[in-house]
């Protein structure tokens, strides 16, 4: 995968040179032609001037080519984790099913690396399809032996307890007291090769969206846990978030993907079968943005393939911004999605 990162970097550089030469012979345009709203600018895959996990323009002279991979931290998502720390710094969040019908969060960090984040929890086989498309590294408390082997075999690096940055928070009880300093993890993950991952989603603008149905509320039900959202003042507010006040994830869009769920092949300490989200193939998709929902389908050829979205009329893009992805089991597996005006 490192070779892939270098190829992306070379391609991006050649693209930038080509655009520069074309600009010399083209019409003059002012630097302000895109407007002042950073979300008005769509990204193209591999564009070094946009962030791969949000599609937003890079600001302040920074670069989307970093000397660390995308860091994906497994975050507990139960009342016992309250308050979650560091969620507001994530570029993107994926909510996935774990045993007992509850969920865990995969929080993606790349453009903004915070300090303390947690509580940190364990890996699942489902994480391979979630993390592999951007050649990400996992930040977790560990995992079942077979799961760790499968993740290693997929070429995904793991930073777990004992790695740089990890510590136990004295005011909390185990296992909800494991935290890490993400800045230290990012430093440890540096490999001396700056590169930009591919885009996690097909980015576009709000103007690219087809007409949808009114949907100011939605609930993604995983079985024993449901996450509810309300569209307020231009963003989606998680009504049952465990994040610390002021540290909630600011979702510009919520993308619901209906997924098949298999059996990971082992049980948790309580004897519950551990599910495995099968994040490849295809399924139904619902993109919630601006108080509306657009219906479509998703597809991924392989676990490490980029996600593609379509409607009956063609390709579907996601407006650049912060996105929360709900990987909800199909109806036969006990999942459901409801929304209202």
């Amino acid at each position: 995968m490192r070779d892939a990162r270098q190829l992306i970097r070379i391609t991006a550089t050649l693209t930038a040179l080509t655009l520069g030469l074309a600009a010399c012979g083209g019409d003059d345009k002012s630097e302000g032609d895109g407007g002042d709203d950073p979300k008005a600018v769509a990204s193209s895959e591999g564009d070094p001037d946009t962030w791969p996990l949000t599609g937003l323009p890079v600001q302040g002279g920074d670069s989307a080519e970093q000397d660390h991979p995308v860091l994906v931290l497994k975050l507990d998502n139960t009342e016992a984790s309250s308050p979650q720390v560091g969620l507001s710094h994530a570029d993107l969040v994926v909510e996935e099913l774990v045993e007992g019908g509850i969920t865990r969060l995969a929080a993606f960090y790349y453009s903004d690396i915070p300090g303390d984040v947690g509580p940190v929890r364990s890996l699942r086989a489902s994480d391979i399809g979630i993390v592999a498309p951007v050649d990400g590294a996992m930040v977790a408390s560990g995992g079942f032996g077979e799961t760790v082997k499968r993740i290693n075999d997929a070429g995904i690096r793991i930073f777990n307890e004992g790695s740089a940055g990890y510590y136990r928070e004295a005011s909390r009880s185990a296992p909800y007291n494991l935290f890490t300093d993400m800045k230290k993890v990012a430093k440890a993950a540096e490999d001396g090769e700056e590169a930009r991952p591919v885009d996690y989603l097909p980015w576009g603008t709000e103007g690219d969206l087809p007409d949808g149905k009114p949907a100011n509320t939605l609930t993604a039900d995983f079985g024993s846990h449901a996450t509810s959202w309300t569209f307020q003042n231009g963003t989606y507010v998680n009504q049952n978030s465990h994040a610390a006040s002021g540290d909630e994830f600011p979702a510009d869009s919520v993308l619901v993907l209906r997924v098949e769920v298999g059996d990971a092949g082992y049980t948790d300490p309580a004897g519950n079968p551990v599910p495995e989200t099968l994040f490849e193939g295809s399924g139904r998709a619902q993109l919630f943005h601006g108080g509306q929902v657009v219906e479509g389908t998703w597809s991924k050829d392989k676990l490490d393939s980029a996600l593609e979205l379509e409607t009956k009329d063609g390709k579907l893009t996601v407006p650049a911004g912060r996105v929360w992805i709900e990987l909800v089991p199909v109806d036969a597996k006990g999942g459901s999605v409801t929304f209202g005006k």
Side-chain angles (χ1 to χ4, degrees):
M1 297 299 288
R2 180 175 295 177
D3 290 341
R5 292 177 66 197
Q6 289 180 311
L7 179 58
I8 291 165
R9 182 184 180 189
I10 292 168
T11 302
T13 302
L14 291 174
T15 300
L17 289 172
T18 302
L19 292 174
L21 290 172
C24 292
D27 295 334
D28 291 337
K29 293 184 179 181
S30 67
E31 294 181 357
D33 281 349
D36 294 329
D37 182 3
K39 294 179 185 177
V41 182
S43 76
S44 59
E45 184 170 320
D47 185 346
D49 295 325
T50 61
W51 294 112
L53 304 180
T54 64
L56 295 173
V58 174
Q59 301 288 330
D62 204 345
S63 171
E65 295 182 342
Q66 301 291 310
D67 190 18
H68 61 77
V70 172
L71 301 174
V72 185
L73 181 137
K74 294 304 298 294
L75 191 66
D76 191 86
N77 195 41
T78 65
E79 183 62 34
S81 69
S82 182
Q84 297 164 334
V85 175
L87 200 55
S88 65
H89 294 268
D91 288 322
L92 178 144
V93 173
V94 177
E95 184 170 9
E96 62 185 281
L97 178 72
V98 293
E99 54 277 10
I102 63 174
T103 65
R104 195 155 288 173
L105 306 181
F108 286 60
Y109 296 91
Y110 187 71
S111 70
D112 179 13
I113 303 297
D116 298 331
V117 180
V120 185
R121 298 303 303 276
S122 58
L123 304 159
R124 294 293 184 276
S126 305
D127 297 323
I128 298 173
I130 294 171
V131 175
V134 287
D135 195 17
M138 298 222 60
V139 184
S141 62
F144 182 74
E146 180 60 26
T147 296
V148 172
K149 181 181 184 302
R150 287 180 60 187
I151 290 175
N152 284 330
D153 289 346
I156 298 172
R157 193 175 179 186
I158 302 171
F159 292 88
N160 53 20
E161 187 172 11
S163 301
Y166 276 88
Y167 65 95
R168 292 282 176 173
E169 171 56 59
S171 65
R172 304 198 187 202
S173 300
Y176 309 103
N177 62 346
L178 184 62
F179 283 70
T180 192
D181 183 334
M182 290 294 283
K183 291 187 182 298
K184 292 182 179 179
V185 176
K187 183 67 177 177
E190 291 180 356
D191 60 7
E193 298 178 3
E194 293 186 357
R196 180 198 187 279
V198 298
D199 289 336
Y200 197 80
L201 293 170
W203 300 113
T205 68
E206 188 173 282
D208 297 329
L209 290 180
D211 292 334
K213 301 175 184 177
N216 285 303
T217 64
L218 72 116
T219 297
D221 193 336
F222 290 80
S224 298
H225 169 81
T227 299
S228 297
W229 299 88
T230 301
F231 183 65
Q232 298 177 359
N233 301 318
T235 61
Y236 287 85
V237 179
N238 186 339
Q239 297 299 311
N240 50 343
S241 172
H242 299 298
S245 178
D247 202 8
E248 300 89 353
F249 181 78
D252 296 300
S253 302
V254 177
L255 178 61
V256 177
L257 306 177
R258 305 307 299 275
V259 294
E260 294 286 347
V261 176
D263 189 335
Y266 61 97
T267 59
D268 71 2
N272 297 308
V274 176
E276 179 179 352
T277 296
L278 307 177
F279 199 19
E280 62 182 326
S282 61
R284 183 183 176 191
Q286 294 170 295
L287 174 59
F288 293 84
H289 181 85
Q292 292 194 323
V293 58
V294 175
E295 305 272 359
T297 58
W298 67 269
S299 62
K300 272 171 103 261
D301 291 339
K302 299 181 296 183
L303 287 176
D304 61 355
S305 297
L307 185 71
E308 297 184 5
L309 301 171
E310 291 187 357
T311 67
K312 61 181 180 179
D313 297 319
K315 298 293 184 182
L316 174 64
T317 58
V318 179
R322 312 276 283 282
V323 181
W324 183 294
I325 300 177
E326 305 277 18
L327 296 182
V328 181
V330 294
D331 297 344
K333 298 295 184 179
S336 66
V337 179
T338 56
F339 62 89
K341 297 179 180 181

